[in-house]
Amino acid sequence: MIENIKLPKIYVNAEFQRLWWTNVSGGLLLGVLLIYALFIGVKEGDTDSDYLTTIGLIGMFISGVVAYFLIERSLKQDVESNAFDQLRMSSLSPWQMVYSRILVAPLLAWVGFLVGWVLLGWVLLIAAFVSSATLVDNNSWNWNNDAFLTLLAFLFLAWAFACMALTNALQFGRGLRQWSGSAIQLILMFLIGTIFFNYLNFDPLKNLLWSSDETYNILQFWFSNVLLAIFASVAVNSAMAQRLHLKSAHGVFLVLSLLSPLLFSWNFTNVDTMAKTLVLCYGCATIVSILTQNNFHLAQGFAELKQGRFRLPAWVVLFPLGLLVALPLDVNMAKLYLLQIGGLLTLVWIFARLKLRYQAITMAMMVYLFGFCFLLLIYP
């Protein structure tokens, strides 16, 4: 009798199935489609391409925000219900748990993103047919290639964003009392990174990140997003492995930070631009490390380093390395680098020692931004 029983085939892992049962609702998915249909149908007269493009882009943007909150909510619920502790004893690999949570938990957002992506692709496809019917040279073919690469890059960018949202939620360094990964903390960190980005003594937006050749820019955009998706996948897999107490992610994050200038490798046309790219990337990575990784067990970290285990925050290596690269370029640039990052590190250390619970890092960032605005008033 037992031999005659036919077991159903399992095409996905148990974590994928569990998240599907707890997060996916057919009614909500249908609601996303109805909302898109409502905005398309409300347009009076013929629906032009600009209108569809706007709907698609707005839908993709909103889907990214929704994906962030859905991933955070899903992980928080599992931690509170002790489901995550039980998963540590399962035979699932970190990568199985990663792609299951990234694909299923924010499935509502993925549907919204893909519908917007299809709308944008449809507009580009129609434009391609119109251009090919009116142009007789090869310009239409080149433009079609650019449009295809741009659409493909959006998929890689969406995956990278979801990976980074989950990495942030996994808390790979600090405890929840200091860095909760909340939206306000991410916004403050973005503002601090922007200040650092803008107040080095060169124009990175114009000379470093963009080209005057439109086709070249499309290739840059595609290459960067593919590489970013690979980096983000490695990072989130390491963060999940650390959360499961399988191995430390400190070394992986350091290696990814050291390799981050490769995202702008097309601008390595000379030693000067390459050095500026290194300063920019290592400085931004240092800021992220200071805010998100635990910085106050350095003695223990150095002791473990002698035993062949790297458990130090990445800024311990990145901060002096960026300063060494900036110093030969420009003394003023090196001073700005040292003052901005050194001041942030000092504030984080002070507020973390005050035991202000989870508000410690938030308060440090707010004081840093207020201090910067005050300095602008004194020295405009």
Side-chain angles (χ1 to χ4, degrees):
M1 293 293 294
I2 297 179
E3 296 178 354
N4 295 328
I5 297 177
K6 295 182 179 180
L7 296 176
K9 294 182 179 180
I10 299 176
Y11 296 100
V12 293
N13 61 66
E15 175 68 355
F16 192 102
Q17 191 68 49
R18 184 187 70 85
L19 290 171
W20 184 278
W21 288 338
T22 56
N23 292 276
V24 176
S25 170
L28 291 177
L29 299 179
L30 181 60
V32 174
L33 300 178
L34 291 177
I35 290 175
Y36 271 105
L38 176 64
F39 277 97
I40 294 175
V42 79
K43 179 73 165 58
E44 297 181 359
D46 296 333
T47 304
D48 54 12
S49 59
D50 291 338
Y51 183 72
L52 291 177
T53 301
T54 302
I55 292 178
L57 292 174
I58 293 177
M60 292 165 65
F61 174 78
I62 295 177
S63 297
V65 178
V66 173
Y68 168 79
F69 286 105
L70 288 178
I71 291 174
E72 294 264 341
R73 186 192 67 175
S74 172
L75 192 64
K76 182 179 180 181
Q77 289 176 345
D78 286 345
V79 170
E80 291 177 349
S81 62
N82 294 325
F84 210 84
D85 292 332
Q86 298 172 13
L87 290 172
R88 290 171 179 162
M89 298 180 288
S90 69
S91 60
L92 296 173
S93 67
W95 181 244
Q96 286 178 313
M97 296 178 64
V98 162
Y99 75 74
S100 299
R101 193 167 297 273
I102 287 178
L103 292 177
V104 182
L107 186 62
L108 182 69
W110 277 116
V111 172
F113 171 82
L114 290 176
V115 173
W117 185 79
V118 169
L119 281 177
L120 186 61
W122 175 257
V123 171
L124 294 176
L125 182 63
I126 296 299
F129 277 114
V130 172
S131 62
S132 62
T134 56
L135 298 177
V136 294
D137 55 16
N138 292 326
N139 291 334
S140 60
W141 173 248
N142 293 333
W143 186 88
N144 293 343
N145 284 341
D146 294 344
F148 174 76
L149 288 176
T150 303
L151 282 174
L152 193 61
F154 278 130
L155 293 178
F156 289 104
L157 181 61
W159 174 261
F161 176 81
C163 288
M164 289 186 287
L166 181 57
T167 303
N168 176 69
L170 286 170
Q171 298 298 320
F172 59 87
R174 290 190 173 280
L176 292 174
R177 290 187 176 183
Q178 293 184 359
W179 178 265
S180 62
S182 63
I184 184 63
Q185 287 181 329
L186 293 177
I187 293 173
L188 292 174
M189 183 172 65
F190 175 78
L191 292 175
I192 292 173
T194 303
I195 291 173
F196 174 79
F197 188 82
N198 289 332
Y199 279 87
L200 295 181
N201 286 351
F202 62 97
D203 189 357
L205 285 175
K206 181 178 180 181
N207 300 327
L208 186 61
L209 302 181
W210 214 242
S211 168
S212 58
D213 187 348
E214 183 175 352
T215 302
Y216 187 57
N217 287 332
I218 297 297
L219 292 174
Q220 292 178 11
F221 183 69
W222 183 83
F223 174 78
S224 292
N225 283 284
V226 172
L227 195 58
L228 180 62
I230 296 174
F231 280 17
S233 299
V234 174
V236 72
N237 185 65
S238 299
M240 181 65 76
Q242 175 164 310
R243 190 61 181 263
L244 297 174
H245 304 301
L246 297 177
K247 60 180 180 180
S248 173
H250 289 80
V252 176
F253 284 111
L254 174 61
V255 172
L256 291 176
S257 299
L258 292 173
L259 295 178
S260 60
L262 292 177
L263 294 170
F264 312 105
S265 58
W266 59 78
N267 275 303
F268 289 177
T269 55
N270 53 60
V271 176
D272 185 66
T273 56
M274 183 174 68
K276 290 177 179 178
T277 306
L278 294 177
V279 174
L280 179 63
C281 292
Y282 291 165
C284 292
T286 298
I287 291 172
V288 175
S289 175
I290 289 173
L291 297 175
T292 60
Q293 291 188 290
N294 196 345
N295 305 307
F296 306 109
H297 299 287
L298 298 184
Q300 180 181 353
F302 281 113
E304 293 186 2
L305 188 61
K306 297 179 181 179
Q307 303 173 3
R309 294 195 300 267
F310 184 87
R311 295 182 183 238
L312 291 168
W315 69 263
V316 174
V317 177
L318 297 174
F319 182 34
L321 186 59
L323 185 61
L324 288 175
V325 177
L327 200 56
L329 284 174
D330 189 343
V331 175
N332 291 327
M333 178 191 296
K335 289 180 180 178
L336 286 171
Y337 179 94
L338 181 62
L339 288 174
Q340 290 187 77
I341 298 181
L344 178 64
L345 180 60
T346 302
L347 288 173
V348 169
W349 188 86
I350 292 174
F351 279 93
R353 291 291 181 181
L354 294 178
K355 297 181 180 180
L356 299 176
R357 302 187 62 177
Y358 62 91
Q359 297 293 336
I361 305 300
T362 306
M363 290 297 296
M365 290 190 288
M366 292 180 64
V367 170
Y368 178 89
L369 292 173
F370 279 123
F372 179 79
C373 294
F374 180 74
L375 290 177
L376 285 182
L377 293 176
I378 300 177
Y379 305 105

Coordinates of all heavy atoms in Angstrom, one line a residue, residues 135-168:
L135 N 12.6 56.0 -40.2 CA 14.0 56.2 -40.5 C 14.6 55.1 -41.4 O 14.2 53.9 -41.3 CB 14.8 56.2 -39.1 CG 14.4 57.3 -38.2 CD1 15.2 57.1 -36.9 CD2 14.7 58.7 -38.8
V136 N 15.5 55.4 -42.2 CA 16.0 54.4 -43.2 C 17.5 54.1 -42.8 O 18.1 53.2 -43.5 CB 15.9 55.0 -44.6 CG1 14.5 55.1 -45.0 CG2 16.7 56.3 -44.7
D137 N 18.1 54.8 -41.9 CA 19.5 54.6 -41.6 C 19.5 53.6 -40.3 O 18.5 53.0 -40.0 CB 20.2 55.8 -41.3 CG 19.5 56.7 -40.2 OD1 18.7 56.1 -39.5 OD2 19.9 57.9 -40.1
N138 N 20.7 53.5 -39.7 CA 20.8 52.6 -38.6 C 20.6 53.2 -37.2 O 20.8 52.5 -36.2 CB 22.3 52.0 -38.6 CG 22.5 51.1 -39.8 OD1 21.6 50.4 -40.3 ND2 23.7 51.1 -40.3
N139 N 20.1 54.4 -37.2 CA 19.9 55.1 -35.9 C 18.8 54.4 -35.1 O 18.9 54.3 -33.9 CB 19.5 56.6 -36.1 CG 20.7 57.4 -36.7 OD1 21.9 57.0 -36.4 ND2 20.4 58.5 -37.4
S140 N 17.8 53.9 -35.8 CA 16.7 53.3 -35.1 C 17.1 52.0 -34.4 O 16.7 51.6 -33.3 CB 15.5 53.0 -36.0 OG 15.9 52.1 -37.1
W141 N 18.0 51.2 -35.1 CA 18.5 50.0 -34.5 C 19.4 50.2 -33.3 O 19.2 49.6 -32.3 CB 19.3 49.3 -35.6 CG 20.1 48.0 -35.1 CD1 21.4 47.9 -34.9 CD2 19.4 46.8 -34.6 NE1 21.7 46.6 -34.4 CE2 20.5 46.0 -34.2 CE3 18.1 46.4 -34.4 CZ2 20.2 44.7 -33.7 CZ3 17.9 45.2 -33.9 CH2 18.9 44.3 -33.6
N142 N 20.2 51.3 -33.3 CA 21.0 51.6 -32.2 C 20.1 52.1 -31.0 O 20.3 51.7 -29.9 CB 22.0 52.7 -32.5 CG 23.1 52.2 -33.5 OD1 23.4 51.1 -33.5 ND2 23.6 53.2 -34.3
W143 N 19.1 52.8 -31.3 CA 18.2 53.3 -30.3 C 17.5 52.1 -29.7 O 17.2 52.1 -28.5 CB 17.2 54.3 -30.9 CG 16.3 55.0 -29.8 CD1 16.6 56.1 -29.1 CD2 15.1 54.5 -29.4 NE1 15.6 56.4 -28.3 CE2 14.6 55.4 -28.4 CE3 14.3 53.4 -29.7 CZ2 13.4 55.3 -27.8 CZ3 13.1 53.3 -29.1 CH2 12.6 54.2 -28.1
N144 N 17.1 51.2 -30.5 CA 16.4 50.0 -29.9 C 17.3 49.2 -29.0 O 16.8 48.7 -28.0 CB 15.9 49.1 -31.1 CG 14.8 49.7 -32.0 OD1 14.2 50.7 -31.5 ND2 14.6 49.2 -33.1
N145 N 18.5 49.1 -29.3 CA 19.4 48.4 -28.4 C 19.6 49.1 -27.1 O 19.6 48.5 -26.0 CB 20.8 48.3 -29.1 CG 20.9 47.2 -30.1 OD1 20.0 46.3 -30.2 ND2 21.8 47.3 -31.0
D146 N 19.7 50.5 -27.2 CA 19.8 51.3 -25.9 C 18.5 51.1 -25.1 O 18.6 50.9 -23.8 CB 19.9 52.7 -26.3 CG 21.3 53.0 -26.9 OD1 22.1 52.1 -26.9 OD2 21.4 54.1 -27.5
A147 N 17.3 51.1 -25.7 CA 16.1 50.9 -24.9 C 16.0 49.5 -24.3 O 15.6 49.4 -23.1 CB 14.9 51.1 -25.9
F148 N 16.5 48.5 -25.0 CA 16.5 47.2 -24.5 C 17.4 47.1 -23.3 O 17.1 46.5 -22.2 CB 16.9 46.2 -25.5 CG 17.0 44.8 -25.0 CD1 15.9 44.0 -24.7 CD2 18.3 44.2 -24.8 CE1 16.1 42.7 -24.2 CE2 18.5 42.9 -24.4 CZ 17.3 42.2 -24.1
L149 N 18.6 47.6 -23.4 CA 19.6 47.6 -22.3 C 19.0 48.3 -21.0 O 19.2 47.9 -19.9 CB 20.9 48.2 -22.7 CG 21.7 47.3 -23.7 CD1 23.0 48.1 -24.1 CD2 22.1 46.0 -23.1
T150 N 18.3 49.5 -21.3 CA 17.8 50.2 -20.2 C 16.7 49.4 -19.4 O 16.7 49.4 -18.2 CB 17.2 51.5 -20.7 OG1 18.2 52.3 -21.4 CG2 16.6 52.4 -19.5
L151 N 15.8 48.8 -20.2 CA 14.8 48.0 -19.6 C 15.4 46.8 -18.8 O 14.9 46.5 -17.7 CB 13.8 47.4 -20.7 CG 12.8 48.4 -21.2 CD1 12.0 47.8 -22.4 CD2 11.8 48.8 -20.1
L152 N 16.4 46.2 -19.4 CA 17.0 45.1 -18.7 C 17.7 45.5 -17.4 O 17.7 44.8 -16.4 CB 18.0 44.4 -19.6 CG 18.6 43.0 -19.2 CD1 17.4 42.0 -19.1 CD2 19.6 42.5 -20.2
A153 N 18.3 46.7 -17.5 CA 19.0 47.2 -16.3 C 18.0 47.5 -15.1 O 18.4 47.3 -14.0 CB 19.7 48.5 -16.6
F154 N 16.8 47.9 -15.4 CA 15.8 48.1 -14.4 C 15.5 46.9 -13.6 O 15.3 46.9 -12.4 CB 14.5 48.7 -15.0 CG 14.5 50.1 -15.2 CD1 14.1 50.6 -16.4 CD2 14.9 51.0 -14.2 CE1 14.2 52.0 -16.7 CE2 14.9 52.4 -14.5 CZ 14.6 52.9 -15.7
L155 N 15.5 45.7 -14.2 CA 15.3 44.4 -13.5 C 16.5 44.1 -12.5 O 16.2 43.7 -11.4 CB 15.2 43.3 -14.5 CG 14.0 43.3 -15.4 CD1 14.0 42.1 -16.4 CD2 12.7 43.2 -14.6
F156 N 17.7 44.4 -13.0 CA 18.8 44.2 -12.1 C 18.8 45.2 -11.0 O 19.2 44.8 -9.8 CB 20.2 44.3 -12.9 CG 20.4 43.1 -13.8 CD1 20.2 43.3 -15.2 CD2 20.8 41.9 -13.3 CE1 20.5 42.2 -16.0 CE2 21.1 40.8 -14.2 CZ 20.9 41.0 -15.5
L157 N 18.4 46.4 -11.2 CA 18.4 47.4 -10.2 C 17.3 47.1 -9.2 O 17.5 47.2 -7.9 CB 18.0 48.8 -10.8 CG 17.9 50.0 -9.9 CD1 19.3 50.2 -9.1 CD2 17.5 51.2 -10.6
A158 N 16.2 46.5 -9.6 CA 15.1 46.1 -8.7 C 15.6 45.0 -7.8 O 15.3 45.0 -6.6 CB 13.9 45.7 -9.4
W159 N 16.3 44.0 -8.3 CA 16.8 42.9 -7.5 C 17.8 43.4 -6.5 O 17.8 43.0 -5.4 CB 17.4 41.9 -8.4 CG 18.0 40.7 -7.7 CD1 19.4 40.6 -7.4 CD2 17.4 39.6 -7.0 NE1 19.6 39.5 -6.7 CE2 18.4 38.9 -6.4 CE3 16.1 39.2 -6.9 CZ2 18.1 37.7 -5.7 CZ3 15.8 38.1 -6.2 CH2 16.8 37.3 -5.6
A160 N 18.7 44.3 -7.0 CA 19.7 44.8 -6.0 C 19.1 45.6 -4.9 O 19.5 45.5 -3.7 CB 20.7 45.7 -6.8
F161 N 18.0 46.4 -5.2 CA 17.3 47.1 -4.2 C 16.7 46.2 -3.1 O 16.8 46.4 -1.9 CB 16.3 48.0 -4.8 CG 15.5 48.8 -3.8 CD1 15.9 49.9 -3.2 CD2 14.2 48.3 -3.4 CE1 15.2 50.6 -2.3 CE2 13.4 49.0 -2.5 CZ 13.9 50.2 -1.9
A162 N 16.0 45.1 -3.6 CA 15.4 44.2 -2.7 C 16.5 43.5 -1.8 O 16.3 43.3 -0.6 CB 14.6 43.2 -3.5
C163 N 17.6 43.2 -2.4 CA 18.7 42.5 -1.6 C 19.2 43.5 -0.5 O 19.5 43.1 0.6 CB 19.9 42.1 -2.6 SG 19.5 40.7 -3.6
M164 N 19.4 44.8 -0.9 CA 19.9 45.7 0.1 C 18.8 46.0 1.2 O 19.2 46.2 2.4 CB 20.3 47.0 -0.6 CG 21.5 46.9 -1.5 SD 22.1 48.5 -2.2 CE 20.9 48.7 -3.4
A165 N 17.5 46.0 0.8 CA 16.5 46.1 1.9 C 16.5 45.0 2.9 O 16.4 45.2 4.1 CB 15.1 46.2 1.2
L166 N 16.7 43.8 2.4 CA 16.8 42.6 3.3 C 18.1 42.6 4.1 O 18.1 42.3 5.3 CB 16.7 41.3 2.4 CG 16.7 40.0 3.2 CD1 15.6 40.0 4.3 CD2 16.6 38.8 2.3
T167 N 19.2 43.0 3.5 CA 20.4 43.1 4.2 C 20.3 44.1 5.4 O 20.8 43.8 6.5 CB 21.6 43.6 3.3 OG1 21.7 42.7 2.2 CG2 22.9 43.7 4.0
N168 N 19.7 45.2 5.1 CA 19.4 46.2 6.2 C 18.6 45.6 7.3 O 18.8 45.9 8.5 CB 18.8 47.5 5.6 CG 18.5 48.5 6.7 OD1 19.3 49.1 7.3 ND2 17.2 48.7 6.9

